Amino acid sequence: KRIKVFHKNNEGSSSARNIGIDHATGKYIMFCDSDDEYDINMVSNMISYIKSETVELCVCGIEKIDEKLKQKQISTFKENRVLNKDEVFIDIGNDNFLFYTLCNKIYDLDIIRKYNIRMNPEIYIGEDLCFNLQYINKCKRILTIKDVLYKYYTSNSFVTHKYYDDYYNKRMVVLRELENVYKENKINLENIYYQYIKIIYAQSMMYHNKACKLRYSDKIKDIEKIFNLDYTKLVLEKYKPKEIKRVILLKLVNSKL
């Protein structure tokens, strides 16, 4: 009686998760990837933190496990800390992937339903982050904990090194979501410019993927189109990074790779 199984046509993980949201009956909701694992105490520990700190979202650490390389990597927070949404948005802009994924969080189902927050089935790059941005924007208190309670198996994910012929456009959907919450909450846009530079760099790396069938001349035309966009010109004009890795990345992009 406590477990319900719903069958549907395969339309991607976002569509399946929306079915779960629509049929969920509890106070809270979690999302686990099919090839990953929860720590046996994950739910009880995180619910306890939520109740004691009176927060709308709890985020835990992740253990990344690469079965092929037989390597493990711990990614977590230095301490347990309650953040406001602006602090989380800045962390997201600074590449803190612990806020990107759905799998290491417990959400308040009432908030999701009140604001009609859903996964976007049309997005398959960064769809988790789009959902999180909408949700976090409705939160007042977000708790990050140093407990590592989720096991993420990277070698089982078929999308890790996948080629996308529309990569730039899909990534821009997510960046626009992030830019909107930055502007709405009056946060400095430097991290948005940084994320855009990363998109251009990543798009250029897509051209080196073996699955890319474009001719060299077409690859050049594609990247030239991006550099001729008004938004690209704006970012290259305004973005003045100081951190060394960001400076190097900007120089690479400016050289048109």
Side-chain angles (χ1 to χ4, degrees), residues 193-218:
Y193 301 150
Y194 164 59
Q195 293 297 329
Y196 185 68
I197 295 297
K198 283 179 59 184
I199 290 174
I200 296 178
Y201 178 78
Q203 175 62 59
S204 70
M205 293 299 101
M206 281 287 164
Y207 297 135
H208 297 285
N209 192 299
K210 292 180 180 179
C212 180
K213 303 303 181 183
L214 292 175
R215 295 177 300 178
Y216 179 77
S217 59
D218 292 328

Side-chain angles (χ1 to χ4, degrees), residues 53-85:
E53 297 292 344
T54 317
V55 295
E56 296 99 345
L57 179 67
C58 185
V59 188
C60 71
I62 294 175
E63 180 181 11
K64 287 185 176 181
I65 302 171
D66 191 315
E67 294 179 303
K68 291 182 179 178
L69 298 178
K70 296 182 179 180
Q71 294 179 345
K72 296 182 179 181
Q73 178 184 355
I74 300 294
S75 298
T76 191
F77 302 96
K78 293 181 180 179
E79 59 182 352
N80 294 2
R81 187 181 173 200
V82 175
L83 306 172
N84 61 44
K85 63 180 179 179

Side-chain angles (χ1 to χ4, degrees), residues 3-19:
I3 299 175
K4 297 180 181 179
V5 179
F6 299 92
H7 297 275
K8 66 182 300 298
N9 293 333
N10 186 357
E11 298 171 310
S13 60
S14 292
S15 176
R17 284 169 172 155
N18 285 338
I19 292 292

Side-chain angles (χ1 to χ4, degrees), residues 84-113:
N84 61 44
K85 63 180 179 179
D86 287 6
E87 292 173 301
V88 174
F89 289 144
I90 291 171
D91 260 9
I92 289 172
N94 281 323
D95 293 332
N96 190 336
F97 94 96
L98 290 171
F99 290 113
Y100 285 36
T101 181
L102 301 174
C103 63
N104 62 330
K105 300 172 180 63
I106 291 186
Y107 303 83
D108 187 317
L109 189 57
D110 290 339
I111 292 176
I112 291 174
R113 291 205 170 129

Side-chain angles (χ1 to χ4, degrees), residues 21-199:
I21 291 172
D22 292 340
H23 289 88
T25 58
K27 165 67 175 169
Y28 304 103
I29 191 167
M30 303 170 71
F31 304 94
C32 183
D33 287 348
S34 59
D35 49 4
D36 296 339
E37 291 181 54
Y38 284 157
D39 181 273
I40 193 170
N41 296 312
M42 180 175 179
V43 177
S44 59
N45 286 4
M46 292 180 74
I47 291 296
S48 177
Y49 280 125
I50 288 173
K51 291 181 177 179
S52 65
E53 297 292 344
T54 317
V55 295
E56 296 99 345
L57 179 67
C58 185
V59 188
C60 71
I62 294 175
E63 180 181 11
K64 287 185 176 181
I65 302 171
D66 191 315
E67 294 179 303
K68 291 182 179 178
L69 298 178
K70 296 182 179 180
Q71 294 179 345
K72 296 182 179 181
Q73 178 184 355
I74 300 294
S75 298
T76 191
F77 302 96
K78 293 181 180 179
E79 59 182 352
N80 294 2
R81 187 181 173 200
V82 175
L83 306 172
N84 61 44
K85 63 180 179 179
D86 287 6
E87 292 173 301
V88 174
F89 289 144
I90 291 171
D91 260 9
I92 289 172
N94 281 323
D95 293 332
N96 190 336
F97 94 96
L98 290 171
F99 290 113
Y100 285 36
T101 181
L102 301 174
C103 63
N104 62 330
K105 300 172 180 63
I106 291 186
Y107 303 83
D108 187 317
L109 189 57
D110 290 339
I111 292 176
I112 291 174
R113 291 205 170 129
K114 178 179 180 180
Y115 296 102
N116 195 30
I117 301 170
R118 292 294 187 275
M119 302 291 295
N120 185 344
E122 301 300 318
I123 303 174
Y124 48 83
I125 303 176
E127 65 273 23
D128 288 9
L129 180 55
C130 281
F131 181 92
N132 285 335
L133 291 174
Q134 295 177 67
Y135 183 88
I136 292 167
N137 205 28
K138 303 303 180 183
C139 293
K140 294 181 179 179
R141 291 166 57 85
I142 300 102
L143 175 65
T144 59
I145 60 174
K146 59 185 179 181
D147 309 43
V148 180
L149 302 173
Y150 191 86
K151 295 182 186 295
Y152 174 67
Y153 291 89
T154 59
S155 61
N156 289 341
S157 178
F158 75 94
V159 298
T160 304
H161 303 291
K162 189 175 180 180
Y163 169 74
Y164 299 95
D165 57 7
D166 57 350
Y167 178 84
Y168 175 86
N169 292 327
K170 295 299 184 184
R171 281 290 303 273
M172 281 306 296
V173 173
V174 182
L175 184 65
R176 291 298 189 190
E177 288 277 354
L178 183 59
E179 184 175 30
N180 287 340
V181 297
Y182 264 58
K183 288 180 177 179
E184 180 181 337
N185 295 283
K186 297 180 174 58
I187 303 172
N188 187 288
L189 295 179
E190 180 178 347
N191 282 338
I192 300 300
Y193 301 150
Y194 164 59
Q195 293 297 329
Y196 185 68
I197 295 297
K198 283 179 59 184
I199 290 174

